Amino acid sequence: MIVDRWIAEKIGLASREGLGREALEAWQLERLRETVGLAVERSSFYREKLGGGVGGGGEPGGASLQGELARLPFTMPSELAEHGAAMVCVPASQVSRIVTLQATSGTTGPPKRVWFTEADQELMVDYIHHGLRVMTGPQDVFLVLMPCERPGSVGDLVAIGVERIGSRAIRIGAIPQDGSRDSEIIELMRRERVSTGLATGATAVRLAALSAADPEIKTNMRTILLSAQYVSEADKKTIESSWGCTVYEHYGMTEMGLGGAMACEARLGYHPREADLLFEIINPDTGEPLPEGEYGEIVFTTLTRRAMPFIRYRTGDFSRWLPELCPCGSILKRLDKVGDRAERKSY
């Protein structure tokens, strides 16, 4: 419900009570048209791909959100790798960070590069500031165990966001998976009374198993946010039972601007940040949208990004829309647990 209030404010509503699917989708349609207009005007890649108009179909008129999307072609990860520089919509002077995503094991070709303005990165900070209130507050010590050394890296943006909530962030960064720093981190958690944090599932489950017998850590730990890789239910149970804490999950990727969808207090799926991203679930073979409840490929369109907008970007990840209203009461859609992405690198 905190995120609903935030979404209502972002789309210009006076209160959360005025937020409904009709109002949200009308706002998304306006932002979609603005994004397409920006891309056609300033990106040589999209100007050619879209044929100078909305999907090459001329004026959108009174098209619905789904109708408008259907007029637009998909953007493929291979196109980002091959034509990324031609997708940029701002001058170099406005670019604050470029993230390079190396090809994964078993693939070849150039790396993907994603451009961000300072305002684009602020969108992620603002998302964390509001979305993580469900699991952290001013009383918490928040341990960041994901890349945070560089300004604008995922851990850095998360740390800034939770500091706005009032939490004290301890920036450590990603630690070796061989366990060589585990004892040091566990001692730090004990000494600093760490109560929450951000980590990959593999890191969290290893640290939790090693410190399960430590009463101080188990007393202090309340919550943990897991991101950047698939987390099995068995690993979640190990973390929760070892630390006596509540596990929250997040789904995102660099192309989304890092933040994509996050669990609420009900922890039954992920709510997308629908004021910044427009998600679809499609049949990967036909490209047709799938009804709620059916598994398919996740596709997204950015609605508020300036440096490098993405229009119907195919992620290669699979999930479905959960049809029932979330027990938390949010009007936002719910994305089911995203399948194992072992061969992808999110951050």
Side-chain angles (χ1 to χ4, degrees), residues 44-272:
S44 59
F45 168 79
Y46 278 119
R47 190 178 307 120
E48 180 177 351
K49 189 176 181 69
L50 300 180
V54 179
E59 292 298 318
S64 67
L65 180 60
Q66 291 303 318
E68 197 100 334
L69 282 170
R71 300 156 68 104
L72 299 167
F74 295 108
T75 302
M76 306 301 293
S78 60
E79 291 177 307
L80 171 59
E82 295 171 10
H83 308 292
M87 297 170 68
V88 179
C89 293
V90 298
S93 60
Q94 294 182 21
V95 175
S96 63
R97 188 162 192 254
I98 301 174
V99 179
T100 300
L101 304 173
Q102 299 294 339
T104 56
S105 175
T107 63
T108 59
K112 294 180 290 184
R113 290 186 171 88
V114 185
W115 276 252
F116 297 94
T117 66
E118 186 175 341
D120 292 338
Q121 292 187 299
E122 170 60 25
L123 293 170
M124 172 63 172
V125 174
D126 193 42
Y127 175 51
I128 294 299
H129 176 204
H130 293 85
L132 257 64
R133 290 184 184 184
V134 69
M135 57 165 284
T136 189
Q139 78 281 7
D140 283 310
V141 178
F142 193 101
L143 182 64
V144 180
L145 292 177
M146 289 185 64
C148 58
E149 295 82 3
R150 295 181 180 179
S153 58
V154 59
D156 178 57
L157 298 179
V158 169
I160 295 170
V162 299
E163 285 169 344
R164 289 185 186 177
I165 297 171
S167 304
R168 179 165 71 91
I170 300 177
R171 295 166 168 83
I172 297 298
I175 61 174
Q177 292 304 301
D178 62 7
S180 57
R181 293 190 64 190
D182 288 357
S183 296
E184 170 197 343
I185 299 302
I186 290 170
E187 174 55 32
L188 181 146
M189 291 176 67
R190 184 186 304 111
R191 182 178 68 251
E192 299 294 336
R193 299 181 182 274
V194 169
S195 55
T196 184
L198 167 71
T200 64
T203 295
V205 74
R206 194 179 65 250
L207 291 174
L210 288 171
S211 60
D214 191 310
E216 287 189 61
I217 291 180
K218 192 163 187 174
T219 297
N220 293 330
M221 285 296 292
R222 298 193 311 107
T223 59
I224 185 76
L225 178 66
L226 305 182
S227 189
Q229 61 185 206
Y230 176 80
V231 183
S232 70
E233 291 303 307
D235 282 349
K236 282 176 59 179
K237 289 179 180 178
T238 296
I239 296 165
E240 292 187 327
S241 61
S242 298
W243 281 343
C245 70
T246 301
V247 168
Y248 289 84
E249 291 184 78
H250 168 262
Y251 166 64
M253 57 196 302
T254 302
E255 295 94 319
M256 290 177 187
L258 303 176
M262 193 180 301
C264 64
E265 56 266 36
R267 299 188 300 139
L268 297 171
Y270 317 134
H271 292 300

